[in-house]
């Protein structure tokens, strides 16, 4: 059982960086359409995770100020 303090989370900024890298790789001319589709899908998933992490980070910050 992992407590919240033991869990190391990736930041929203790191998620956005991963999204950007997946998108860049997905637009490379020399890859198959299947690989490009998978990479673009991963980019969208990373973008969604970045939004979720930004929301989580805001909650943690607000709770720390109480």
């Amino acid at each position: 059982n992992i407590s919240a303090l033991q869990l190391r989370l990736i930041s929203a900024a790191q998620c956005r960086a991963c999204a950007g890298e997946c998108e860049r790789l997905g637009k490379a001319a020399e890859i198959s359409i299947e690989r490009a589709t998978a990479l673009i899908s991963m980019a969208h998933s990373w973008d969604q995770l970045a939004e979720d992490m930004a929301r989580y980070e805001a909650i943690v910050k607000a709770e720390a100020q109480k």
Side-chain angles (χ1 to χ4, degrees):
N1 190 4
I2 298 176
S3 74
L5 293 176
Q6 292 171 318
L7 183 62
R8 184 177 172 144
L9 300 175
I10 188 170
S11 71
Q14 290 169 308
C15 291
R16 287 186 200 97
C18 289
E21 183 66 6
C22 286
E23 187 172 351
R24 183 187 69 76
L25 292 170
K27 291 180 178 179
E30 68 278 356
I31 65 171
S32 69
I33 189 69
E34 292 85 2
R35 188 178 295 189
T37 301
L39 284 162
I40 296 301
S41 177
M42 286 189 283
H44 291 298
S45 296
W46 279 113
D47 280 333
Q48 181 60 55
L49 185 57
E51 290 179 28
D52 293 343
M53 285 307 301
R55 199 166 27 258
Y56 175 79
E57 290 167 357
I59 292 166
V60 169
K61 184 178 179 180
E63 288 178 353
Q65 293 174 353
K66 290 182 182 179

